Amino acid sequence: MQLLEAAEDEGRGVVVVPVAGRAVPGLVDGWCVLSARAGRLPLARALESAVRLARDGMTVSPTLAGALARQRERLLRGGADKWVLVDQIAGARVAQPELAALLERIG
């Protein structure tokens, strides 16, 4: 799982970019506990749109493509060489079926 960090994109708004960390221990358990304690929807329902986006794919925006290009070397140093988004260009359609399956198992 890739952690995300918000960064200003040249005054045009906030963009989410990957950071060096890979996973936060207990993150999924935290989702489960939070959903059980305070969720209005079952966790599977709350994750549906993320599952659909991962399964069906997303179009890489120019902003995301630019952030990936600018951060490419750092991403590769952090072990992201097999990450499907690393070398994508604006307009590319990217699906992540393994992520979709993982999110379905979590829900």
Side-chain angles (χ1 to χ4, degrees):
M1 185 176 308
Q2 192 73 36
L3 296 179
L4 303 174
E5 168 183 274
E8 285 297 319
D9 182 37
E10 301 165 8
R12 289 178 283 171
V14 174
V15 82
V16 177
V17 296
V19 296
R22 289 239 179 233
V24 175
L27 177 67
V28 173
D29 186 56
W31 289 353
C32 295
V33 170
L34 184 60
S35 178
R37 287 186 187 168
R40 295 184 195 163
L41 299 171
L43 185 56
R45 174 83 167 88
L47 292 173
E48 279 180 0
S49 54
V51 169
R52 188 171 38 258
L53 186 62
R55 184 188 58 239
D56 298 344
M58 61 171 234
T59 302
V60 175
S61 70
T63 301
L64 177 57
L68 292 166
R70 286 188 303 277
Q71 298 296 323
R72 187 176 189 281
E73 292 306 313
R74 186 183 60 78
L75 290 167
L76 294 177
R77 282 194 312 272
D81 55 308
K82 292 181 176 63
W83 187 37
V84 69
L85 286 173
V86 162
D87 288 319
Q88 296 297 332
I89 60 170
R93 187 87 179 155
V94 178
Q96 299 181 71
E98 291 176 0
L99 176 58
L102 174 64
L103 292 170
E104 285 178 325
R105 287 194 308 273
I106 290 169

